[in-house]
Amino acid sequence: MASGLKQRALPRDYLSISESTILHLRKPYIIAWWSVAFPGFGHILLGQYFRGMGLIVWEILINLHSKINTAMVYSFTGNIQMANDTLNPRLLLLYIPVYLFGIWDSYRGSVELNKEYKISEIKQTPITKYKMNSKGINFLDKRSPVFAFIWALFIPSLGQFYQQRILASFFTLLWTVIFIYFSNFLEGFIYLLQGDFARSTEVINIQWLLFIPSFYFFTVYQSYTETVELNKLFDKEQAAYLEKNFQSSDFKINKGRLVE
């Protein structure tokens, strides 16, 4: 039984030159909620980058083809007929099952990874501190969640870059640039600052614009929370190092009697 647990225990982190992936407790309903907000986000939070990126690209392509964002805006403003005329149903029925699957799979994956995390904590599996080769270096250290939050507020992806999540960072940055360009967001923002509200509304492409809030707030959330978890793992690694190298082998904590 013990050997079985040892074989099953996952490492508590994986460092490469381009990624910092860690195993930690996650709230399954939070992961599922992010999958509701945008398919793929929940998987990104679980460290399942390629699965998450695939769902994100699927969501964008189907949404663009079916004009879901534009139809949603018309529906929210009471223009039901315009929403029906805009919506392209040819791929819509393919969108729904994949959307529901993303929610279910991210919730299920979160529950299973939490079980593996608890086993890894019990078994005290090793924590990787450094990764270095000819392409660069990555290491586990204390990083400020506030700085990660602030950089993510300025430009989505910079918080991920600060965490040494290079793959996720460039993926986020690429799509952010695409969304801003095709939505005419900056042009509309300039007209808004000039007080030309009619011109600002006219140049904005709603279909592309509605992608931006989800990406923006997701990267802010991920940058802050994942930096907190990286710091917790760093503390565990430091505690294990000090205990192994400096704590006396006969050191014991004497448990006292509980005082009412």
Side-chain angles (χ1 to χ4, degrees):
M1 182 67 180
S3 61
L5 287 177
K6 185 175 182 180
Q7 292 174 359
R8 285 189 57 216
L10 293 176
R12 285 183 282 180
D13 72 325
Y14 174 79
L15 298 185
S16 69
I17 301 306
S18 60
E19 289 299 328
S20 300
T21 304
I22 65 174
L23 193 64
H24 64 88
L25 282 177
R26 298 170 173 91
K27 295 181 178 179
Y29 66 88
I30 296 294
I31 300 297
W33 186 90
W34 278 112
S35 292
V36 172
F38 207 106
F41 282 174
H43 292 86
I44 294 292
L45 288 173
L46 294 176
Q48 299 173 340
Y49 296 114
F50 286 101
R51 188 181 301 185
M53 290 175 184
L55 286 172
I56 288 171
V57 173
W58 169 267
E59 155 71 17
I60 293 171
L61 293 179
I62 297 298
N63 198 315
L64 287 174
H65 183 81
S66 301
K67 303 293 184 182
I68 296 174
N69 284 348
T70 304
M72 286 173 57
V73 172
Y74 287 139
S75 297
F76 293 155
T77 55
N79 297 320
I80 305 301
Q81 186 58 48
M82 292 185 68
N84 290 333
D85 294 340
T86 301
L87 195 63
N88 184 346
R90 294 177 63 186
L91 289 178
L92 188 60
L93 293 181
L94 292 177
Y95 173 85
I96 296 173
V98 176
Y99 179 79
L100 296 177
F101 170 80
I103 299 170
W104 172 81
D105 189 57
S106 63
Y107 183 91
R108 179 201 61 82
S110 178
V111 171
E112 295 303 319
L113 282 176
N114 283 346
K115 296 177 184 177
E116 296 296 338
Y117 167 80
K118 293 174 182 177
I119 294 174
S120 297
E121 287 293 301
I122 293 172
K123 301 300 293 182
Q124 290 293 294
T125 54
I127 299 174
T128 304
K129 182 71 183 293
Y130 296 98
K131 180 69 175 181
M132 181 171 62
N133 59 29
S134 60
K135 298 181 180 64
I137 183 172
N138 187 10
F139 55 95
L140 196 64
D141 69 332
K142 277 277 191 179
R143 304 180 190 190
S144 170
V146 175
F147 284 151
F149 179 85
I150 292 173
W151 282 117
L153 283 177
F154 283 134
I155 298 180
S157 79
L158 290 186
Q160 296 166 321
F161 198 87
Y162 177 61
Q163 297 169 348
Q164 196 74 11
R165 288 186 164 97
I166 308 301
L167 180 62
S169 172
F170 279 109
F171 180 84
T172 302
L173 182 60
L174 172 65
W175 281 108
T176 300
V177 172
I178 291 174
F179 295 153
I180 289 176
Y181 178 81
F182 285 103
S183 67
N184 300 320
F185 174 78
L186 293 180
E187 184 180 356
F189 183 68
I190 291 173
Y191 285 127
L192 183 64
L193 292 179
Q194 294 174 346
D196 193 345
F197 302 106
R199 181 62 174 162
S200 176
T201 305
E202 181 182 344
V203 299
I204 287 294
N205 186 323
I206 294 296
Q207 176 62 39
W208 285 96
L209 183 68
L210 287 191
F211 288 125
I212 296 178
S214 298
F215 260 73
Y216 183 77
F217 290 110
F218 171 74
T219 53
V220 171
Y221 170 83
Q222 187 200 24
S223 297
Y224 182 86
T225 57
E226 292 295 309
T227 303
V228 171
E229 296 300 332
L230 280 168
N231 287 344
K232 291 179 182 178
L233 189 66
F234 174 81
D235 291 338
K236 290 177 182 178
E237 191 279 332
Q238 290 291 290
Y241 176 82
L242 293 173
E243 181 179 344
K244 179 180 178 180
N245 293 278
F246 296 98
Q247 182 172 291
S248 174
S249 59
D250 59 354
F251 176 80
K252 294 182 180 179
I253 297 178
N254 295 320
K255 295 183 179 179
R257 184 172 58 85
L258 179 64
V259 178
E260 296 294 339

